[in-house]
């Protein structure tokens, strides 16, 4: 072979060299840990399709939050399962709503832990959709249209109530047109101009949400969410969605899910200069857990490789159910 010989293996031959030239690193500071809070007393119930993930009543919440804080995870994402539901999701914006009460408790225990409030109505509506619905019958079957502009008013009320309770970041996930602008205006008008919006900018109508719907009790009672969440076949549309949210005042952008949409994550990273969030969703977590339980894969190695792929694709932050485990694994190094 003629000189020079290119030997790429020179930079792979030892742990020290590999560590020194590594292009991307995972850190505990990258992680956001989801938490499910529910009504009742002494509740710590494991979610069947998400082994290791639990619903907590408020009186059992501190044990989970303490574990998260002691691991050094900087933020939690709150989801609430209310005691009662109605057609407009009024428990989602009630002063004494489950998310609002949980937020107050967490901030009293750990003021420096960031509380991110998921701002949607699907957990709080009796029909399971992310906004107000006009229902009608077709051949004996209940159908419905999600009302965009009417829903914005309720989402603003929800965001403001969450901010009043002490949420550090508002994370609207509803995918209504104009939701960032409406929430930004509502927060500003109520004295919360300092509260950032982490927008679920690019949210696909994905089959990977199945376990979440069990966890949050938010399965639609009719139809699906394809009229407001994105078609998984579309990538260019993601640019339009993100561009709109940037124009309307989003402070952070998100791609959800992430594992099957790493191309979209990379495209958003290349086109926009806002902090970017990847959501490692429930179905992605459940698949790894199920295979690991069967002994088919090395859970730690696969989970960390998945999280690293999201970081490599351009994510600054990762919402993941593996937040606690990954933090422990990183500490073992």
């Amino acid at each position: 072979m003629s000189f020079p010989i290119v030997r790429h293996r020179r930079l792979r031959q030892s742990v020290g060299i590999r560590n020194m030239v590594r292009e991307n690193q995972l850190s505990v500071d990258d992680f956001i840990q989801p938490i499910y809070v529910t009504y009742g007393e002494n509740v710590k119930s494991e979610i069947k399709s998400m082994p290791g993930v639990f619903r907590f009543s408020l009186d059992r919440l501190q044990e989970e939050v303490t574990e998260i804080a002691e691991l050094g995870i900087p933020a939690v994402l709150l989801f609430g399962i209310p005691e009662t539901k109605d057609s407009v999701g009024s428990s989602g914006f009630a002063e004494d709503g489950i998310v609002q009460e949980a937020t107050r408790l967490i901030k009293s225990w750990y003021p420096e832990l960031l509380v991110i409030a998921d701002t949607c109505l699907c957990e709080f509506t009796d029909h399971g959709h992310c906004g107000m619905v006009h229902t009608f019958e077709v051949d004996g079957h209940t159908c419905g249209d999600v009302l965009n502009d009417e829903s914005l008013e309720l989402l603003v009320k929800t965001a403001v109530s969450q901010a009043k309770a002490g949420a550090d970041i508002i994370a609207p996930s509803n995918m209504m047109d104009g939701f960032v602008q409406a929430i930004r205006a509502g927060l500003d008008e109520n004295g919360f101009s300092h509260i950032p919006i982490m927008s679920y900018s690019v949210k696909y109508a994905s089959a990977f949400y199945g376990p979440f719907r069990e966890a949050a009790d938010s399965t639609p009672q009719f139809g699906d969410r394809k009229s407001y969440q994105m078609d998984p076949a579309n990538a260019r549309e993601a640019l339009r969605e993100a561009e709109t949210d940037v124009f309307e005042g989003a402070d952070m952008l998100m791609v959800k899910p992430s594992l099957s949409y790493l191309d979209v994550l990379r495209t958003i990273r290349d086109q926009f200069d806002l902090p970017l969030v990847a959501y490692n969703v429930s179905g992605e977590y459940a698949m790894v857990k199920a295979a690991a339980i069967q002994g088919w894969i090395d859970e730690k190695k696969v989970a960390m490789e998945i999280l690293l792929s999201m970081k490599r694709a351009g994510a600054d932050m990762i919402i993941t159910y593996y937040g606690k485990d990954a933090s422990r694994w990183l500490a073992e190094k």
Side-chain angles (χ1 to χ4, degrees):
M1 187 178 291
S2 62
F3 183 83
I5 298 172
V6 178
R7 295 190 182 275
H8 299 290
R9 291 179 58 190
R10 292 185 185 118
L11 300 182
R12 304 173 191 156
Q13 63 184 295
S14 70
V15 172
I17 291 177
R18 290 194 297 271
N19 288 344
M20 187 168 60
V21 302
R22 185 163 292 136
E23 297 174 22
N24 294 281
Q25 303 271 358
L26 282 171
S27 162
V28 66
D29 291 328
D30 298 328
F31 301 141
I32 298 167
Q33 181 73 43
I35 299 179
Y36 295 94
V37 288
T38 189
Y39 57 91
E41 296 181 357
N42 197 31
V43 176
K44 182 182 178 181
S45 60
E46 189 171 35
I47 298 158
K48 184 178 179 181
S49 58
M50 299 172 69
V53 179
F54 298 82
R55 296 188 192 96
F56 294 90
S57 55
L58 294 176
D59 59 336
R60 294 289 300 274
L61 180 60
Q62 189 168 10
E63 61 190 82
E64 174 75 351
V65 176
T66 296
E67 183 180 5
I68 291 167
E70 289 180 349
L71 285 167
I73 297 171
V76 297
L77 176 62
L78 282 185
F79 297 99
I81 301 95
E83 187 169 14
T84 60
K85 302 186 179 193
D86 58 31
S87 61
V88 297
S90 59
S91 55
F93 48 82
E95 183 178 347
D96 59 351
I98 188 72
V99 170
Q100 289 79 0
E101 292 289 357
T103 299
R104 293 187 189 97
L105 287 172
I106 294 171
K107 296 306 291 185
S108 70
W109 299 327
Y110 296 98
E112 300 305 313
L113 183 65
L114 296 174
V115 174
I116 304 170
D118 180 80
T119 305
C120 196
L121 299 174
C122 61
E123 301 112 289
F124 306 100
T125 55
D126 52 16
H127 47 72
H129 281 283
C130 300
M132 289 183 63
V133 171
H134 167 64
T135 58
F136 51 91
E137 296 286 328
V138 176
D139 297 328
H141 299 286
T142 301
C143 300
D145 294 324
V146 178
L147 305 175
N148 193 94
D149 294 4
E150 294 85 344
S151 298
L152 294 180
E153 298 177 18
L154 301 180
L155 292 164
V156 170
K157 291 177 67 174
T158 302
V160 170
S161 73
Q162 292 167 338
K164 286 181 178 178
D168 298 285
I169 298 171
I170 298 299
S173 60
N174 52 87
M175 289 297 283
M176 297 295 110
D177 289 334
F179 71 95
V180 172
Q181 182 177 7
I183 290 173
R184 182 73 274 158
L187 290 172
D188 291 356
E189 290 167 6
N190 284 274
F192 297 108
S193 59
H194 61 289
I195 298 292
I197 294 175
M198 176 188 287
S199 174
Y200 286 64
S201 301
V202 180
K203 183 178 179 181
Y204 286 90
S206 172
F208 284 98
Y209 303 150
F212 172 87
R213 291 176 182 172
E214 177 201 345
D217 190 23
S218 63
T219 302
Q221 297 304 299
F222 56 86
D224 54 40
R225 297 186 173 123
K226 292 180 180 179
S227 70
Y228 46 102
Q229 295 178 359
M230 284 179 55
D231 185 339
N234 293 353
R236 295 193 303 274
E237 183 183 5
L239 291 171
R240 299 198 297 273
E241 287 280 1
E243 184 177 38
T244 298
D245 287 0
V246 172
F247 178 76
E248 293 183 5
D251 300 282
M252 294 172 254
L253 305 176
M254 187 191 302
V255 175
K256 179 184 180 183
S258 295
L259 183 57
S260 290
Y261 299 88
L262 294 176
D263 60 322
V264 177
L265 194 65
R266 181 74 259 170
T267 298
I268 299 299
R269 170 74 294 150
D270 290 342
Q271 293 295 319
F272 301 98
D273 198 27
L274 290 180
L276 182 58
V277 185
Y279 199 143
N280 178 210
V281 300
S282 60
E284 296 165 355
Y285 172 87
M287 290 193 303
V288 175
K289 273 289 183 183
I293 289 169
Q294 293 296 322
W296 296 336
I297 61 171
D298 183 313
E299 180 181 15
K300 173 183 174 181
K301 290 181 179 178
V302 170
M304 294 299 277
E305 188 173 335
I306 287 171
L307 295 174
L308 186 60
S309 76
M310 296 172 186
K311 185 80 172 181
R312 188 182 65 245
D316 299 295
M317 294 157 275
I318 305 172
I319 301 168
T320 178
Y321 299 95
Y322 270 112
K324 293 189 297 181
D325 287 335
S327 298
R328 294 189 189 95
W329 294 331
L330 287 170
E332 292 171 0
K333 289 185 176 181

